[in-house]
Amino acid sequence: MPSPRPAQDAGPKPGALHGVLAPIVEDAGFELEHLDVRAAGRRHTVKVVVDSDEGVGLDDIAAVSRAISAELDRHEHLIEGSYTLEVTSPGVDRPLTRQRHWKRAYLRQVAVRLHDGTRFTGRVGRAGEESVTVLVDGRRREVRYADVAHAGVQVEFRPAPEREVALLQEEGTA
């Protein structure tokens, strides 16, 4: 016997959801870095990752979360059933995959693996359109984004060495 309930889409419409949430995040002064919607039965988890060049604080997360929640309530047809909303900023372990990630990692220590298998650790300098300067063993090295298989910020418990910072800050004048 057929179910008396009308047929519904199996889950959220991520493309439509992105189109609804991106302007809310941008109006708050941030970038929608990542949107992930997971379903577990009738329940969904909506994870929104926001970022900016100035960073994202806890008060920012709370404000963006309230704005997104209100917008999701206005567009409840995009997520059938109940959902849990998670709004966060990228963690320190986020891979550096775009120019803006490298810019935000300026003067941070990174571990890099190139497509040819070469691995090195260095300090991030200026990020250009096609490449980034990385200080490796006291020497500036230009690394093309296209050559990077994986790169991530390394946690440091001390400030960057003054000598390394000076070498990277003078690169614009060299």
Side-chain angles (χ1 to χ4, degrees), residues 18-86:
H18 188 278
V20 167
L21 298 183
I24 300 300
V25 172
E26 290 166 10
D27 286 349
F30 302 100
E31 297 165 352
L32 178 55
E33 185 71 28
H34 184 73
L35 172 64
D36 185 39
V37 182
R38 305 269 173 155
R42 292 185 186 192
R43 188 155 186 79
H44 297 89
T45 299
V46 179
K47 183 175 182 180
V48 180
V49 181
V50 299
D51 202 3
S52 82
D53 288 341
E54 292 76 35
V56 183
L58 290 176
D59 291 340
D60 300 322
I61 294 290
V64 171
S65 183
R66 284 189 296 274
I68 289 173
S69 181
E71 195 66 18
L72 288 175
D73 289 347
R74 285 191 285 280
H75 292 87
E76 62 185 28
H77 62 282
L78 293 176
I79 302 175
E80 302 294 333
S82 61
Y83 66 90
T84 300
L85 175 62
E86 296 177 9

Side-chain angles (χ1 to χ4, degrees), residues 14 20 23 62 66 82 129 138 143 160 163 166 170:
V20 167
R66 284 189 296 274
S82 61
E129 291 296 319
V143 179
R163 183 182 180 306
E170 74 183 26

Side-chain angles (χ1 to χ4, degrees), residues 133-171:
T133 302
V134 180
L135 187 67
V136 181
D137 297 327
R139 301 184 72 201
R140 291 190 295 258
R141 176 177 179 170
E142 206 62 26
V143 179
R144 291 177 0 106
Y145 303 129
D147 295 338
V148 177
H150 181 7
V153 172
Q154 301 294 293
V155 176
E156 294 182 276
F157 296 103
R158 294 184 249 158
E162 290 180 23
R163 183 182 180 306
E164 291 182 7
V165 171
L167 284 170
L168 288 170
Q169 288 178 334
E170 74 183 26
E171 77 181 280

